[in-house]
Amino acid sequence: MQNCKNCNTEFDGNYCSNCGQRPNNGRIILKESVRDVLEHYFDFDAPLFRTIKGMVTNPGIITREYIFGKRKSYSHPFRYFILVLAVYIILIQLLNFNSIEAFSEAIGALELPNPNTDSSRASNFLREHINTFLLIYAFTLAFFAKLFNRKSGFYLVEYLSLSFFIIAEYILFSIFIILLTFVLPKIFLLNYLIVIIYPIYVLVRFHEGNLFMRLLKATFVSVFGWLTYATTSFTISFLIVKVFSL
């Protein structure tokens, strides 16, 4: 028997029966630190990779299991959202990627929009603060999911968890699309298709019942959720750059 250094519980085995921590001698050792990092982020059976894979292959099962209590098997939806968003922000900074320029190139625009107009400045403000505005998208998606599925039995906060899973996975798709954009510029337009189609796919797999009704409701949720987010975010951005002359 040994005492856990984290919670002082007496246990026998490879993990503490109370908090799950491995036994250690109370000091930080390089070998253990490297092992913990590799297992947490690069173990393909770890919660992170299980979540990434599951949100593509079985999003309905993943999200329902998480909501119904199977929490240790998957990443926490908000932490997953923050992690993927951080990778996205770092990537676009390193690549000096501009979504407005990428969109213009993808549609074959001969010249970029005038950057001095209020609408252009608002678009740039939104792009630069996308990490904050995506929180609005999570709430609008959750709100409409609850609105169109009032009899589902799920709480609004549970739909919010579902929304963070959806948005995080969408951002992950966007990362790959951005990388491919440098080879094939027109592929950037795929972003606008995925942002509508992927939530529909997840919501249809998440709910039970008549397939046609699930598809219809999921389409309304996805379209209204995204349009409300886009309109609200742009309006806020426009007002901020207008009032503060940014």
Side-chain angles (χ1 to χ4, degrees):
M1 298 293 288
Q2 54 190 319
N3 286 336
C4 175
K5 295 293 191 298
N6 183 56
C7 65
N8 207 33
T9 299
E10 198 174 65
F11 73 99
D12 185 26
N14 295 323
Y15 298 92
C16 171
S17 58
N18 183 50
C19 70
Q21 177 168 290
R22 278 198 182 98
N24 63 73
N25 63 4
R27 303 298 301 274
I28 297 176
I29 300 173
L30 179 61
K31 180 181 177 181
E32 289 184 355
S33 298
V34 172
R35 180 196 63 194
D36 289 343
V37 170
L38 290 176
E39 286 187 357
H40 186 77
Y41 292 105
F42 298 101
D43 179 359
F44 285 89
D45 195 39
L48 176 61
F49 285 96
R50 194 180 297 121
T51 303
I52 292 173
K53 177 185 175 183
M55 286 303 295
V56 174
T57 58
N58 293 298
I61 294 176
I62 294 294
T63 49
R64 290 178 73 92
E65 284 188 345
Y66 182 86
I67 288 172
F68 290 144
K70 199 173 181 180
R71 309 282 162 78
K72 293 289 287 184
S73 299
Y74 309 111
S75 293
H76 186 283
F78 187 68
R79 284 201 297 266
Y80 181 42
F81 166 76
I82 292 297
L83 174 63
V84 177
L85 182 59
V87 172
Y88 172 82
I89 292 173
I90 291 170
L91 181 69
I92 61 175
Q93 292 295 328
L94 288 175
L95 297 176
N96 195 27
F97 182 81
N98 187 311
S99 57
I100 298 174
E101 293 178 0
F103 177 75
S104 298
E105 185 176 0
I107 63 174
L110 298 178
E111 58 182 28
L112 294 174
N114 184 349
N116 297 317
T117 63
D118 289 336
S119 59
S120 292
R121 289 189 291 121
S123 296
N124 281 319
F125 182 87
L126 197 161
R127 177 177 59 85
E128 292 169 1
H129 298 84
I130 191 66
N131 54 325
T132 302
F133 286 110
L134 279 175
L135 293 173
I136 296 177
Y137 185 29
F139 281 97
T140 60
L141 200 58
F143 172 78
F144 284 108
K146 177 62 177 175
L147 181 66
F148 284 100
N149 298 278
R150 292 188 297 275
K151 297 181 180 179
S152 67
F154 291 105
Y155 301 136
L156 178 62
V157 70
E158 291 172 331
Y159 278 120
L160 186 59
S161 295
L162 176 63
S163 297
F164 280 123
F165 274 129
I166 290 173
I167 297 170
E169 199 75 6
Y170 162 68
I171 295 172
L172 201 59
F173 291 143
S174 294
I175 289 173
F176 288 108
I177 290 173
I178 287 172
L179 294 174
L180 292 172
T181 297
F182 290 94
V183 180
L184 185 64
K186 289 188 181 297
I187 204 170
F188 183 73
L189 297 176
L190 193 59
N191 253 323
Y192 299 96
L193 180 63
I194 294 176
V195 76
I196 298 297
I197 297 299
Y198 181 69
I200 295 174
Y201 166 65
V202 175
L203 288 164
V204 168
R205 299 291 295 272
F206 178 76
H207 290 108
E208 298 175 339
N210 181 271
L211 177 60
F212 175 76
M213 290 306 298
R214 280 187 287 153
L215 183 59
L216 184 63
K217 290 179 179 180
T219 302
F220 281 130
V221 171
S222 182
V223 172
F224 285 131
W226 189 85
L227 287 177
T228 304
Y229 150 71
T231 304
T232 303
S233 298
F234 183 80
T235 301
I236 292 172
S237 299
F238 187 87
L239 291 174
I240 289 175
V241 299
K242 193 73 173 176
V243 172
F244 296 100
S245 300
L246 297 177

